[in-house]
Amino acid sequence: MDIQWFPGHMTKAKRLIVDQLSLVDVVCELRDARIPLASANPMLDELVKKKPRVIVLNKTDMADPVLSKQWVDYFQSAGIQALLVDSITGKGLQQVKAAVRQAAKPMLDKWTSKGLRPRAIRMMIVGIPNVGKSSLINKLVGKAKAKTGDKPGITKGKQWISLGQDIELLDTPGILWPKFDDPQAAFCLAATGAIKDEVFDREALGLKLIETLIRQAPDRLVKRYGVNVDETTPPEEVLRLIATRRGCIRPGGVIDQEKAINIVLREFKGGELGALTLELPPAK
Ligand code: G4P
């Protein structure tokens, strides 16, 4: 969360991931179900190349369930297996291993056809900071223990953890930088808390969030703040209404915009506006 991504850090992260990738058969890419595009790393396709990959959309408890299903269809229509997980409760976790087995099947079939003795499938988890990599690893591992002793060729300290008979998980996730160069992605990342929102103009961030909610889910604003808005209400007006409802008024009756903005940003991030997805799947 506190990583500041400077070019040197990116180069180091890239080198580390390339090393880690060379050890595994399947890559499990973790993204945030509320922002399935913005939470991707811009270079991962290039780094993973043709290695089998599974996209795990995490934090589904905070995302719109209808849109989450649409996102799964979207990725699957692009030929990438995608699944929905909540790494806090463990919902959807069983599917992860099944998806990894499916992704590795062509490789396993090839070994068998060559008469090679099959070994456990090796997998790793990659993703941008704060997407839930550690939470997912902890949930997947459960009571399983890291195997003692490093395998040959593995950097000291790295351990394989057995997830049942046939899958081994690299205990260290691959950490990659987010897409902060793209303003829309940066907005999504800041609004969900994946990157620090202090680097943004909070007023612009809050108004953009309100604008997105007006467009995609005005009912949530009505429900949470008791304001009478629809798709045509300007964001500034919605902010004014919220400020009035929540008593964000300075002496002299002036609206305290900053206070109202902070309320909306905090409550969205905390899930108090309900399960919401900021990014819609691209139209086919
Ligand atoms: P990372 O290793 O990818 O950096 O992420 P990590 O597991 O540390 O998770 C980041 C935050 O996201 C944690 O909250 C964690 O509890 C939360 N989280 C992970 N998976 C899920 C999920 O499926 N649903 C929900 N609702 N939350 C999830 P935290 O420690 O409180 O950090 P923060 O919220 O203060 O940033």
Side-chain angles (χ1 to χ4, degrees):
M1 187 60 184
D2 288 317
I3 299 171
Q4 298 293 319
W5 292 100
F6 295 111
H9 296 156
M10 293 189 201
T11 310
K12 199 173 162 208
K14 195 175 141 189
R15 210 180 310 128
L16 245 167
I17 286 275
V18 170
D19 278 358
Q20 289 171 311
L21 284 173
S22 69
L23 306 172
V24 301
D25 307 307
V26 177
V27 179
C28 185
E29 183 194 359
L30 204 54
R31 298 196 193 179
D32 186 323
R34 294 168 296 173
I35 49 168
L37 294 181
S39 56
N41 167 267
M43 271 195 87
L44 195 64
D45 283 348
E46 199 182 303
L47 295 172
V48 169
K49 298 202 179 86
K50 292 205 178 340
K51 209 175 270 281
R53 187 197 337 188
V54 172
I55 292 184
V56 175
L57 298 176
N58 190 38
K59 307 198 184 186
T60 47
D61 54 311
M62 300 184 91
D64 180 319
V66 174
L67 289 173
S68 290
K69 286 207 177 70
Q70 290 180 15
W71 273 111
V72 167
D73 292 346
Y74 167 81
F75 287 117
Q76 286 182 341
S77 66
I80 304 175
Q81 271 198 87
L83 35 116
L84 304 171
V85 157
D86 169 352
S87 296
I88 301 295
T89 62
K91 198 173 163 203
L93 228 69
Q94 273 310 316
Q95 290 177 63
V96 176
K97 284 193 252 176
V100 167
R101 285 187 191 105
Q102 199 182 323
K105 194 169 180 304
M107 181 196 80
L108 295 175
D109 289 348
K110 209 155 123 192
W111 288 348
T112 314
S113 71
K114 283 184 181 168
L116 295 170
R117 213 168 53 140
R119 60 158 171 77
I121 303 160
R122 292 181 189 151
M123 67 173 283
M124 71 176 291
I125 288 165
V126 304
I128 62 169
N130 211 36
V131 77
K133 297 179 296 302
S134 313
S135 308
L136 177 64
I137 291 177
N138 288 340
K139 262 291 189 273
L140 276 174
V141 171
K143 291 193 188 70
K145 287 246 169 13
K147 280 188 178 174
T148 49
D150 295 337
K151 289 205 169 171
I154 298 176
T155 321
K156 199 171 170 343
K158 292 217 182 75
Q159 302 258 308
W160 294 100
I161 305 164
S162 294
L163 304 180
Q165 294 281 310
D166 61 338
I167 302 179
E168 289 180 346
L169 170 69
L170 196 60
D171 71 344
T172 326
I175 306 169
L176 283 164
W177 61 95
K179 277 185 195 172
F180 35 52
D181 288 345
D182 167 353
Q184 177 61 20
F187 154 69
C188 290
L189 291 162
T192 55
I195 56 176
K196 284 186 177 166
D197 58 13
E198 289 93 82
V199 295
F200 281 81
D201 173 339
R202 285 184 73 79
E203 187 174 333
L205 180 66
L207 281 171
K208 191 157 167 59
L209 176 61
I210 292 173
E211 184 195 311
T212 308
L213 295 174
I214 293 170
R215 199 171 53 241
Q216 287 170 212
D219 53 310
R220 304 301 180 87
L221 292 166
V222 176
K223 195 169 165 210
R224 179 75 195 164
Y225 301 109
V227 290
N228 189 15
V229 301
D230 61 29
E231 292 88 342
T232 61
T233 321
E236 293 78 8
E237 172 63 6
V238 175
L239 181 63
R240 198 187 62 75
L241 292 169
I242 293 173
T244 311
R245 292 292 295 203
R246 288 295 181 92
C248 306
I249 312 289
R250 287 210 180 98
V254 183
I255 296 280
D256 189 343
Q257 291 225 20
E258 199 185 326
K259 196 168 169 192
I261 288 272
N262 284 336
I263 289 175
V264 177
L265 288 173
R266 191 184 59 240
E267 295 192 351
F268 171 76
K269 220 184 276 180
E272 285 156 74
L273 280 94
L276 277 163
T277 300
L278 289 181
E279 289 181 314
L280 307 180
K284 281 178 198 156

